Tab-separated table of all heavy atoms in Angstrom:
chain	number	residue	atom	x	y	z
A	11	VAL	N	-20.132	-11.557	-4.497
A	11	VAL	CA	-19.690	-11.504	-3.104
A	11	VAL	C	-18.220	-11.749	-3.067
A	11	VAL	O	-17.413	-11.114	-2.299
A	11	VAL	CB	-20.536	-12.596	-2.304
A	11	VAL	CG1	-19.816	-12.681	-0.895
A	11	VAL	CG2	-21.900	-12.121	-2.270
A	12	TYR	N	-17.638	-12.656	-3.845
A	12	TYR	CA	-16.185	-13.023	-3.875
A	12	TYR	C	-15.436	-11.707	-4.290
A	12	TYR	O	-14.431	-11.320	-3.674
A	12	TYR	CB	-15.959	-14.216	-4.768
A	12	TYR	CG	-14.545	-14.530	-4.892
A	12	TYR	CD1	-13.890	-15.316	-3.872
A	12	TYR	CD2	-13.763	-14.159	-6.085
A	12	TYR	CE1	-12.572	-15.691	-4.042
A	12	TYR	CE2	-12.427	-14.378	-6.020
A	12	TYR	CZ	-11.869	-15.147	-5.108
A	12	TYR	OH	-10.493	-15.551	-5.192
A	13	VAL	N	-15.827	-11.201	-5.377
A	13	VAL	CA	-15.222	-9.885	-5.878
A	13	VAL	C	-15.239	-8.804	-4.829
A	13	VAL	O	-14.259	-8.063	-4.623
A	13	VAL	CB	-15.765	-9.487	-7.162
A	13	VAL	CG1	-15.173	-8.186	-7.644
A	13	VAL	CG2	-15.537	-10.629	-8.294
A	14	LEU	N	-16.402	-8.693	-4.160
A	14	LEU	CA	-16.602	-7.760	-3.152
A	14	LEU	C	-15.485	-7.914	-2.041
A	14	LEU	O	-14.955	-6.950	-1.443
A	14	LEU	CB	-18.008	-7.728	-2.551
A	14	LEU	CG	-18.261	-6.715	-1.403
A	14	LEU	CD1	-18.120	-5.322	-1.888
A	14	LEU	CD2	-19.640	-6.918	-0.807
A	15	GLY	N	-15.258	-9.227	-1.686
A	15	GLY	CA	-14.258	-9.489	-0.643
A	15	GLY	C	-12.795	-8.992	-1.095
A	15	GLY	O	-12.077	-8.422	-0.332
A	16	THR	N	-12.510	-9.235	-2.353
A	16	THR	CA	-11.140	-8.739	-2.859
A	16	THR	C	-11.132	-7.174	-2.838
A	16	THR	O	-10.148	-6.652	-2.496
A	16	THR	CB	-10.962	-9.280	-4.268
A	16	THR	OG1	-11.907	-8.859	-5.139
A	16	THR	CG2	-10.991	-10.767	-4.216
A	17	ALA	N	-12.309	-6.622	-3.181
A	17	ALA	CA	-12.359	-5.126	-3.272
A	17	ALA	C	-12.213	-4.561	-1.855
A	17	ALA	O	-11.557	-3.492	-1.700
A	17	ALA	CB	-13.722	-4.659	-3.854
A	18	ILE	N	-12.622	-5.224	-0.823
A	18	ILE	CA	-12.560	-4.727	0.582
A	18	ILE	C	-11.032	-4.749	0.965
A	18	ILE	O	-10.522	-3.690	1.556
A	18	ILE	CB	-13.387	-5.611	1.507
A	18	ILE	CG1	-14.850	-5.359	1.296
A	18	ILE	CG2	-13.036	-5.291	2.950
A	18	ILE	CD1	-15.749	-6.199	2.128
A	19	THR	N	-10.339	-5.757	0.578
A	19	THR	CA	-8.916	-5.820	0.859
A	19	THR	C	-8.173	-4.705	0.169
A	19	THR	O	-7.392	-3.980	0.786
A	19	THR	CB	-8.316	-7.182	0.475
A	19	THR	OG1	-9.035	-8.239	1.201
A	19	THR	CG2	-6.872	-7.243	0.804
A	20	TYR	N	-8.397	-4.492	-1.104
A	20	TYR	CA	-7.737	-3.462	-1.820
A	20	TYR	C	-8.116	-2.035	-1.316
A	20	TYR	O	-7.302	-1.140	-1.349
A	20	TYR	CB	-8.000	-3.592	-3.367
A	20	TYR	CG	-7.455	-4.797	-4.056
A	20	TYR	CD1	-8.210	-5.664	-4.878
A	20	TYR	CD2	-6.023	-5.090	-3.916
A	20	TYR	CE1	-7.615	-6.814	-5.368
A	20	TYR	CE2	-5.527	-6.204	-4.432
A	20	TYR	CZ	-6.266	-6.985	-5.241
A	20	TYR	OH	-5.735	-8.109	-5.906
A	21	MET	N	-9.373	-1.896	-0.942
A	21	MET	CA	-9.749	-0.665	-0.393
A	21	MET	C	-9.033	-0.301	0.843
A	21	MET	O	-8.537	0.785	1.076
A	21	MET	CB	-11.353	-0.738	-0.116
A	21	MET	CG	-11.869	0.574	0.525
A	21	MET	SD	-13.525	0.535	0.983
A	21	MET	CE	-13.433	-0.673	2.338
A	22	ALA	N	-8.810	-1.306	1.830
A	22	ALA	CA	-8.080	-1.106	3.022
A	22	ALA	C	-6.655	-0.709	2.737
A	22	ALA	O	-6.132	0.165	3.309
A	22	ALA	CB	-8.134	-2.373	3.891
A	23	VAL	N	-6.059	-1.349	1.723
A	23	VAL	CA	-4.714	-1.083	1.329
A	23	VAL	C	-4.583	0.380	0.767
A	23	VAL	O	-3.714	1.108	1.059
A	23	VAL	CB	-4.113	-2.077	0.340
A	23	VAL	CG1	-2.714	-1.613	-0.136
A	23	VAL	CG2	-4.050	-3.466	1.042
A	24	GLY	N	-5.648	0.750	-0.014
A	24	GLY	CA	-5.683	2.072	-0.590
A	24	GLY	C	-5.784	3.153	0.355
A	24	GLY	O	-5.251	4.219	0.279
A	25	ILE	N	-6.618	2.946	1.426
A	25	ILE	CA	-6.825	3.951	2.495
A	25	ILE	C	-5.500	4.086	3.210
A	25	ILE	O	-5.148	5.199	3.536
A	25	ILE	CB	-7.904	3.367	3.455
A	25	ILE	CG1	-9.268	3.513	2.727
A	25	ILE	CG2	-8.034	4.283	4.639
A	25	ILE	CD1	-10.456	2.952	3.557
A	26	PHE	N	-4.817	2.974	3.479
A	26	PHE	CA	-3.591	3.062	4.156
A	26	PHE	C	-2.567	3.858	3.339
A	26	PHE	O	-1.838	4.730	3.837
A	26	PHE	CB	-2.993	1.691	4.411
A	26	PHE	CG	-1.555	1.681	5.017
A	26	PHE	CD1	-1.253	2.077	6.241
A	26	PHE	CD2	-0.582	1.376	4.032
A	26	PHE	CE1	0.084	2.060	6.737
A	26	PHE	CE2	0.711	1.364	4.568
A	26	PHE	CZ	1.042	1.740	5.892
A	27	ALA	N	-2.569	3.596	1.993
A	27	ALA	CA	-1.614	4.344	1.100
A	27	ALA	C	-1.979	5.769	1.043
A	27	ALA	O	-1.113	6.632	1.071
A	27	ALA	CB	-1.672	3.736	-0.311
A	28	GLY	N	-3.293	6.141	1.132
A	28	GLY	CA	-3.680	7.532	1.090
A	28	GLY	C	-3.305	8.278	2.325
A	28	GLY	O	-2.946	9.416	2.189
A	29	TYR	N	-3.419	7.681	3.431
A	29	TYR	CA	-3.024	8.325	4.688
A	29	TYR	C	-1.591	8.508	4.711
A	29	TYR	O	-0.993	9.510	5.436
A	29	TYR	CB	-3.509	7.527	5.938
A	29	TYR	CG	-4.906	7.865	6.346
A	29	TYR	CD1	-5.906	7.006	6.087
A	29	TYR	CD2	-5.163	9.108	6.912
A	29	TYR	CE1	-7.230	7.301	6.444
A	29	TYR	CE2	-6.477	9.485	7.312
A	29	TYR	CZ	-7.550	8.563	6.988
A	29	TYR	OH	-8.803	8.891	7.421
A	30	THR	N	-0.724	7.643	4.206
A	30	THR	CA	0.708	7.850	4.213
A	30	THR	C	1.165	8.904	3.167
A	30	THR	O	2.285	9.412	3.277
A	30	THR	CB	1.444	6.565	3.856
A	30	THR	OG1	0.998	6.056	2.576
A	30	THR	CG2	1.201	5.498	4.940
A	31	GLY	N	0.309	9.368	2.276
A	31	GLY	CA	0.607	10.360	1.359
A	31	GLY	C	1.708	9.929	0.461
A	31	GLY	O	1.738	8.794	-0.028
A	32	GLU	N	2.629	10.805	0.015
A	32	GLU	CA	3.717	10.519	-0.853
A	32	GLU	C	4.798	9.685	-0.284
A	32	GLU	O	5.695	9.319	-1.015
A	32	GLU	CB	4.209	11.830	-1.380
A	32	GLU	CG	3.318	12.739	-2.172
A	32	GLU	CD	3.875	14.030	-2.561
A	32	GLU	OE1	4.997	14.308	-2.265
A	32	GLU	OE2	3.238	14.774	-3.381
A	33	GLN	N	4.709	9.421	0.970
A	33	GLN	CA	5.781	8.697	1.674
A	33	GLN	C	5.842	7.222	1.333
A	33	GLN	O	6.752	6.511	1.613
A	33	GLN	CB	5.857	8.930	3.134
A	33	GLN	CG	5.967	10.374	3.488
A	33	GLN	CD	7.378	10.870	3.102
A	33	GLN	OE1	8.337	10.199	3.193
A	33	GLN	NE2	7.424	12.182	2.665
A	34	LEU	N	4.648	6.666	0.831
A	34	LEU	CA	4.521	5.294	0.694
A	34	LEU	C	5.673	4.707	-0.265
A	34	LEU	O	6.262	3.721	0.121
A	34	LEU	CB	3.124	4.904	0.233
A	34	LEU	CG	2.882	3.368	0.023
A	34	LEU	CD1	3.025	2.671	1.481
A	34	LEU	CD2	1.509	3.195	-0.501
A	35	GLN	N	5.742	5.296	-1.342
A	35	GLN	CA	6.779	4.859	-2.350
A	35	GLN	C	8.206	5.143	-1.900
A	35	GLN	O	9.131	4.434	-2.163
A	35	GLN	CB	6.442	5.413	-3.709
A	35	GLN	CG	6.656	6.933	-3.713
A	35	GLN	CD	6.429	7.496	-5.139
A	35	GLN	OE1	6.175	6.742	-6.059
A	35	GLN	NE2	6.538	8.803	-5.310
A	36	ALA	N	8.286	6.163	-1.040
A	36	ALA	CA	9.598	6.525	-0.554
A	36	ALA	C	10.118	5.415	0.379
A	36	ALA	O	11.306	5.171	0.599
A	36	ALA	CB	9.560	7.860	0.144
A	37	TYR	N	9.107	4.804	1.070
A	37	TYR	CA	9.468	3.687	2.037
A	37	TYR	C	10.236	2.527	1.390
A	37	TYR	O	11.111	1.836	2.047
A	37	TYR	CB	8.249	3.196	2.820
A	37	TYR	CG	7.646	4.218	3.672
A	37	TYR	CD1	6.286	4.232	3.989
A	37	TYR	CD2	8.382	5.336	4.231
A	37	TYR	CE1	5.680	5.153	4.791
A	37	TYR	CE2	7.762	6.217	5.086
A	37	TYR	CZ	6.438	6.147	5.305
A	37	TYR	OH	5.902	7.112	6.082
A	38	VAL	N	9.870	2.298	0.236
A	38	VAL	CA	10.403	1.105	-0.567
A	38	VAL	C	11.489	1.524	-1.567
A	38	VAL	O	12.097	0.722	-2.138
A	38	VAL	CB	9.365	0.252	-1.273
A	38	VAL	CG1	8.436	-0.344	-0.255
A	38	VAL	CG2	8.531	1.088	-2.188
A	39	GLN	N	11.579	2.866	-1.799
A	39	GLN	CA	12.599	3.250	-2.809
A	39	GLN	C	13.946	3.592	-2.003
A	39	GLN	O	14.449	4.678	-2.061
A	39	GLN	CB	12.111	4.513	-3.525
A	39	GLN	CG	10.960	4.233	-4.386
A	39	GLN	CD	11.258	3.229	-5.471
A	39	GLN	OE1	12.323	3.314	-6.056
A	39	GLN	NE2	10.264	2.469	-5.845
A	40	ASN	N	14.462	2.503	-1.478
A	40	ASN	CA	15.784	2.641	-0.810
A	40	ASN	C	16.522	1.315	-1.021
A	40	ASN	O	15.940	0.264	-1.333
A	40	ASN	CB	15.710	2.969	0.671
A	40	ASN	CG	14.932	2.017	1.485
A	40	ASN	OD1	15.455	0.960	1.741
A	40	ASN	ND2	13.660	2.336	1.830
A	41	ILE	N	17.812	1.318	-0.752
A	41	ILE	CA	18.634	0.181	-0.996
A	41	ILE	C	18.298	-1.028	-0.185
A	41	ILE	O	18.354	-2.186	-0.657
A	41	ILE	CB	20.061	0.588	-0.848
A	41	ILE	CG1	20.964	-0.627	-1.336
A	41	ILE	CG2	20.470	0.886	0.614
A	41	ILE	CD1	22.488	-0.275	-1.334
A	42	TRP	N	17.792	-0.821	1.000
A	42	TRP	CA	17.422	-1.972	1.911
A	42	TRP	C	16.146	-2.641	1.376
A	42	TRP	O	16.117	-3.828	1.381
A	42	TRP	CB	17.279	-1.429	3.362
A	42	TRP	CG	18.459	-0.743	3.867
A	42	TRP	CD1	18.709	0.614	4.125
A	42	TRP	CD2	19.689	-1.403	4.201
A	42	TRP	NE1	19.897	0.833	4.628
A	42	TRP	CE2	20.558	-0.362	4.681
A	42	TRP	CE3	20.160	-2.793	4.267
A	42	TRP	CZ2	21.894	-0.713	5.021
A	42	TRP	CZ3	21.487	-2.973	4.565
A	42	TRP	CH2	22.341	-2.069	5.063
A	43	ALA	N	15.066	-1.875	1.101
A	43	ALA	CA	13.851	-2.547	0.614
A	43	ALA	C	14.002	-3.246	-0.661
A	43	ALA	O	13.590	-4.289	-0.922
A	43	ALA	CB	12.834	-1.479	0.625
A	44	ILE	N	14.689	-2.504	-1.577
A	44	ILE	CA	14.891	-3.074	-2.937
A	44	ILE	C	15.749	-4.312	-2.839
A	44	ILE	O	15.544	-5.342	-3.453
A	44	ILE	CB	15.553	-2.011	-3.817
A	44	ILE	CG1	14.524	-0.878	-4.077
A	44	ILE	CG2	15.902	-2.673	-5.250
A	44	ILE	CD1	15.103	0.290	-4.960
A	45	GLY	N	16.805	-4.248	-1.985
A	45	GLY	CA	17.629	-5.430	-1.731
A	45	GLY	C	16.919	-6.687	-1.230
A	45	GLY	O	17.153	-7.757	-1.609
């Protein structure tokens, strides 16, 4: 049950990343985010 809870969180983050497409990594690959 504990592992299932962690999986739910990662699944939610994964769904969000999937809907953003290729732009997710672009959001953090800039001087402001890295800084």
Side-chain angles (χ1 to χ4, degrees):
V11 172
Y12 178 83
V13 173
L14 180 61
T16 61
I18 291 175
T19 300
Y20 289 129
M21 179 185 67
V23 175
I25 292 175
F26 171 76
Y29 273 108
T30 58
E32 298 178 353
Q33 297 298 322
L34 182 62
Q35 62 179 1
Y37 294 151
V38 296
Q39 293 299 320
N40 60 76
I41 188 172
W42 302 108
I44 295 175

